[in-house]
């Protein structure tokens, strides 16, 4: 995903994430450009009709406008429905701060615990993506509705995840604080 401010306005596309869980295809943060989304899916030999469930981490249009491309029964509204995505081990965690109704998706994979963090973490295009724990906690979010809640949510995800996929920027590994074993993280997650 990218975000840039030019000519007095924001232009952005989120990190679009596709989960495969058995025969289920779950799409997170489908963006707001139908052509771009179709192209990304075609790259994986898929089309919009192949997606079983779709969810947005929050309601900003750059993350959520393409929800309208999917039948309503395929759209998951985390604040109304679930703590887990049905039929999957993907946990939906309330992570307010950037927006009051902001959620992160956390999944246990063979490569570790991955968090799709939406705009809990994001960078402007061309900005150096510094990812030490200290830098992540103090990284400014000029669009945050509640900076205090944002910091608490960031701590929650940093304590859970091994890898984070930000809303705008490159995925990154989380530096361990205590060398805690993954089972400890799993207890917190489930």
């Amino acid at each position: 995903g990218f975000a840039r401010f030019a000519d007095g306005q924001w232009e952005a596309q989120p990190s679009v994430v596709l989960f495969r869980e058995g025969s289920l295809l779950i799409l997170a943060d489908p963006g707001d450009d139908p052509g771009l989304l179709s192209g990304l899916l075609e790259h994986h030999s898929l089309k919009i009709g192949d997606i079983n469930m779709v969810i947005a981490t929050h309601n900003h249009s750059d993350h959520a406008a393409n929800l309208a491309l999917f039948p309503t029964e395929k759209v998951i509204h985390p604040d109304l429905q679930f703590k887990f995505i049905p039929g999957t081990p993907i946990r939906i965690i309330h992570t307010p701060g950037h927006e009051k109704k902001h959620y992160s998706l956390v999944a246990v994979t063979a490569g570790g615990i991955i968090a799709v963090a939406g705009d809990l973490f994001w960078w402007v295009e061309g900005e150096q993506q510094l990812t030490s724990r200290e830098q992540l906690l103090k990284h400014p979010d000029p669009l945050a509705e509640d900076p205090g809640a944002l910091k608490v949510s960031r701590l929650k995800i940093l304590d859970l995840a091994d890898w984070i996929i930000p809303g705008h920027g490159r995925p990154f590994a989380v530096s361990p604080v205590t060398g805690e074993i993954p089972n400890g993280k799993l207890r917190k997650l489930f």
Side-chain angles (χ1 to χ4, degrees):
F2 70 87
R4 57 180 159 247
F5 193 74
D7 300 323
Q9 61 184 9
W10 285 100
E11 180 184 346
Q13 283 299 314
S15 299
V16 179
V17 179
L18 178 67
F19 289 98
R20 289 182 189 263
E21 179 62 34
S23 63
L24 291 176
L25 296 172
I26 302 107
L27 192 67
D29 282 346
D32 67 358
D33 183 332
L36 181 60
L37 178 60
S38 293
L40 290 170
L41 291 173
E42 284 175 20
H43 179 74
H44 294 282
S45 302
L46 298 169
K47 54 189 181 302
I48 287 175
D50 295 329
I51 303 301
N52 301 101
M53 291 177 250
V54 62
I55 186 172
T57 55
H58 60 292
N59 289 322
H60 288 168
S61 62
D62 62 316
H63 288 257
N66 278 344
L67 291 176
L69 301 174
F70 297 87
T72 56
E73 65 272 8
K74 290 186 176 187
V75 178
I76 294 175
H77 299 282
D79 57 322
L80 302 176
Q81 294 176 312
F82 307 108
K83 297 294 181 200
F84 288 85
I85 295 180
T88 77
I90 302 168
R91 175 90 188 245
I92 302 170
I93 299 176
H94 186 220
T95 51
H98 180 74
E99 188 177 63
K100 183 178 180 179
K101 292 185 177 184
H102 187 286
Y103 299 85
S104 296
L105 307 177
V106 179
V108 178
T109 72
I113 298 172
I114 297 175
V116 177
D119 285 352
L120 192 57
F121 302 99
W122 65 281
W123 288 267
V124 175
E125 188 174 70
E127 181 181 9
Q128 185 178 6
Q129 189 171 315
L130 303 173
T131 59
S132 75
R133 188 177 182 89
E134 179 183 345
Q135 292 160 327
L136 289 167
L137 289 174
K138 69 180 183 181
H139 184 71
D141 179 349
L143 304 178
E145 288 181 357
D146 184 340
L150 180 69
K151 184 174 183 176
V152 169
S153 294
R154 285 176 172 177
L155 279 167
K156 182 188 309 184
I157 294 302
L158 287 169
D159 284 345
L160 282 175
D162 298 310
W163 296 91
I164 293 177
I165 301 172
H168 310 279
R170 295 177 316 281
F172 59 92
V174 176
S175 301
V177 177
T178 62
E180 177 182 8
I181 58 171
N183 287 342
K185 289 184 180 185
L186 291 176
R187 280 193 296 278
K188 290 180 190 175
L189 185 57
F190 296 101

